Amino acid sequence: NGPNLNLLGTREPDIYGTMTLEALSAKCELWGKDVGFGTTSRQSNSESQLIDWIHRAQKDGFYGVILNAGGLTHTSVALRDAIAGVAIPIVEVHLSNVHSREPFRHQSTIAGVCLGSIAGFGPIGYQAAILCLSQHLNDNQLEAPI
Ligand code: DQA
């Protein structure tokens, strides 16, 4: 989770709902368990931290990443390049329907290098992303953590 997602629960609740990031992370753990995967949730407001996490994800023992890049989705070439530069599958997720909002949110720099994208379903979008990613990992040769 990228910039400003630490404010979930109180941030523009009409758009992002009232679930806190902590509660969402707890849900993700349950949704992961449902499909046989452990999950770790992380959030940073820093683009460089997100890039470092992506670079290290496989080494850190992860099979895949679900990424809500927040506003960086619409601006960050560096984040796109980080995703393109690693073998680990990454699913883009957004709580809101970015395509029905301001025109600057219609563009994603990362969508083209992600496995797929889910937007507009609130927290359940994370569950959908976990399900889709687990299906992908089960269907394909798992790129084992290194
Ligand atoms: C968001 C959508 C982005 O446009 C916005 O900048 C966010 C949250 C979402 O989850 O809907 O920070 O990624």
Side-chain angles (χ1 to χ4, degrees):
N1 293 287
N4 303 307
L5 291 162
N6 54 310
L7 299 180
L8 283 181
T10 54
R11 173 194 183 196
E12 300 181 89
D14 46 319
I15 297 173
Y16 300 116
T18 54
M19 189 182 284
T20 62
L21 184 61
E22 200 182 10
L24 177 58
S25 301
K27 285 276 191 192
C28 285
E29 191 157 353
L30 293 177
W31 292 328
K33 272 195 189 125
D34 285 346
V35 292
F37 282 91
T39 65
T40 297
S41 295
R42 292 172 169 174
Q43 186 275 332
S44 178
N45 293 321
S46 152
E47 182 177 26
S48 71
Q49 177 65 87
L50 296 171
I51 290 169
D52 286 343
W53 280 337
I54 287 166
H55 289 175
R56 285 207 317 262
Q58 243 187 334
K59 261 194 195 127
D60 285 350
F62 297 104
Y63 285 100
V65 175
I66 290 161
L67 176 63
N68 184 345
L72 292 172
T73 304
H74 316 298
T75 60
S76 180
V77 173
L79 200 54
R80 179 196 171 93
D81 289 347
I83 297 167
V86 296
I88 196 165
I90 298 184
V91 177
E92 176 186 17
V93 69
H94 300 286
L95 294 158
S96 65
N97 181 355
V98 284
H99 303 288
S100 68
R101 298 180 62 195
E102 304 94 321
F104 64 83
R105 292 186 207 276
H106 299 178
Q107 171 83 12
S108 167
T109 62
I110 65 171
V113 289
C114 286
L115 189 59
S117 304
I118 296 165
F121 296 100
I124 294 297
Y126 283 69
Q127 183 180 26
I130 288 169
L131 179 63
C132 295
L133 183 55
S134 73
Q135 195 65 57
H136 171 84
L137 291 168
N138 289 328
D139 287 350
N140 292 274
Q141 199 69 23
L142 283 185
E143 193 86 40
I146 43 178

